Amino acid sequence: MHSKTDNNQMIKIQDLEKTYRTEEVETIALNRLSMEVKEGEFVAVMGPSGCGKSTLLNILGLLDDPDAGSFIFNGTEVAHFNERKRAEMRKNNIGFVFQSFNLIDELTVYENVELPLIYTGIKAADRKEKVEKVLDKMKIMHRRKHYPQQLSGGQQQRVAVARAVVNNSRLILADEPTGNLDSVNGNEVMQLLTDLNEQGTTIIMVTHSEHDARFSHRIIRMLDGQTVTENILV
């Protein structure tokens, strides 16, 4: 794993722009946004709805590309990668945790967590070892044969976190990870993310919750597609 003392830059974004156009409306989602994230950091991104947080997360996750600007990820300029190259970079480096869990109802807990490993072409025996190890770590092994519908919200989010890290992702992008959970389950998920971060995983989390943001090292506040303030918490 990667140590927190490692000051390597994982993400450097400069003058990032993204505009969405429909026939009637032009919406500027990112307006010359610049930010940096070092390897091993835990960063919270906050701001009102419509300020560009989700757009930023989509670009950081290589799900979308910017209209202009630079995005250097692990030393590589990825701003204008095509979808195939983005997918390749994504599956080997990035895990996602969403508010709505995004589990596949027809698959068991085990199969949901195994899925990213199948995409990356890992052999069955190695998959089994990796999946069991991460289910054990997330304390959800006893539910491996259950389906998402049979789990509580907190358990579903544990499965989602397990799926995000089963590939040893260097970066976890979390979008309102406690948004659908009560405070007890929410705190459990935040503790899971904190533990992962302490083991070296870089985490960028979009949240509306000041409580959740306090688990991070640094809060970036956005407004109108730009970063406006930063608070260092450690």
Side-chain angles (χ1 to χ4, degrees):
M1 283 307 238
H2 316 276
S3 78
K4 201 179 293 183
T5 53
D6 184 348
N7 273 346
N8 287 346
Q9 200 172 62
M10 179 180 269
I11 288 166
K12 184 179 172 75
I13 277 175
Q14 275 189 304
D15 295 332
L16 217 57
E17 295 181 21
K18 185 71 179 178
T19 303
Y20 293 104
R21 293 177 180 84
T22 63
E23 283 180 15
E24 303 83 37
V25 188
E26 184 174 282
T27 307
I28 298 173
L30 297 178
N31 183 10
R32 298 179 65 82
L33 179 140
S34 298
M35 64 180 279
E36 296 179 14
V37 178
K38 288 190 169 64
E39 194 145 349
E41 272 199 288
F42 187 162
V43 177
V45 180
M46 302 191 76
S49 295
C51 72
K53 301 187 301 294
S54 295
T55 302
L56 173 62
L57 216 58
N58 283 341
I59 290 174
L60 289 173
L62 301 168
L63 298 169
D64 201 355
D65 58 344
D67 297 330
S70 165
F71 173 16
I72 295 171
F73 182 75
N74 287 336
T76 303
E77 176 61 78
V78 297
H80 300 295
F81 266 20
N82 62 29
E83 175 48 38
R84 189 182 55 77
K85 286 172 89 174
R86 286 208 308 266
E88 195 61 35
M89 180 75 93
R90 199 165 55 229
K91 74 182 183 186
N92 292 318
N93 292 285
I94 303 171
F96 297 88
V97 180
F98 301 96
Q99 175 175 345
S100 53
F101 319 134
N102 282 26
L103 300 175
I104 297 171
D105 291 340
E106 295 75 28
L107 299 183
T108 63
V109 163
Y110 184 98
E111 290 163 342
N112 266 286
V113 175
E114 185 186 31
L115 210 53
L117 300 176
I118 293 172
Y119 288 149
T120 43
I122 290 170
K123 293 198 295 287
D126 294 340
R127 291 204 304 267
K128 184 172 187 292
E129 186 185 335
K130 280 173 175 282
V131 173
E132 288 180 353
K133 186 178 172 188
V134 78
L135 289 177
D136 211 31
K137 186 171 161 184
M138 297 295 156
K139 301 183 174 60
I140 199 92
M141 186 68 167
H142 60 298
R143 300 282 194 186
R144 66 189 178 281
K145 292 180 178 170
H146 287 67
Y147 291 89
Q149 260 39 33
Q150 299 171 294
L151 306 178
S152 70
Q155 289 169 333
Q156 288 188 58
Q157 197 59 298
R158 275 179 182 274
V159 177
V161 173
R163 182 187 56 191
V165 299
V166 72
N167 249 348
N168 291 329
S169 306
R170 298 172 65 184
L171 172 65
I172 298 282
L173 297 175
D175 192 359
E176 301 281 359
T178 68
N180 285 346
L181 302 176
D182 61 37
S183 59
V184 173
N185 281 309
N187 277 335
E188 274 192 19
V189 167
M190 290 311 304
Q191 195 54 56
L192 272 182
L193 293 176
T194 300
D195 293 346
L196 286 169
N197 176 247
E198 284 171 356
Q199 290 156 27
T201 307
T202 307
I203 297 176
I204 302 175
M205 172 182 71
V206 161
T207 182
H208 279 107
S209 163
E210 293 283 350
H211 171 269
D212 289 0
R214 285 199 292 273
F215 284 86
S216 71
H217 305 152
R218 179 160 65 103
I219 301 174
I220 295 174
R221 295 182 193 272
M222 287 181 66
L223 191 65
D224 299 335
Q226 297 175 309
T227 56
V228 284
T229 60
E230 288 197 26
N231 307 74
I232 310 291
L233 301 181
V234 288

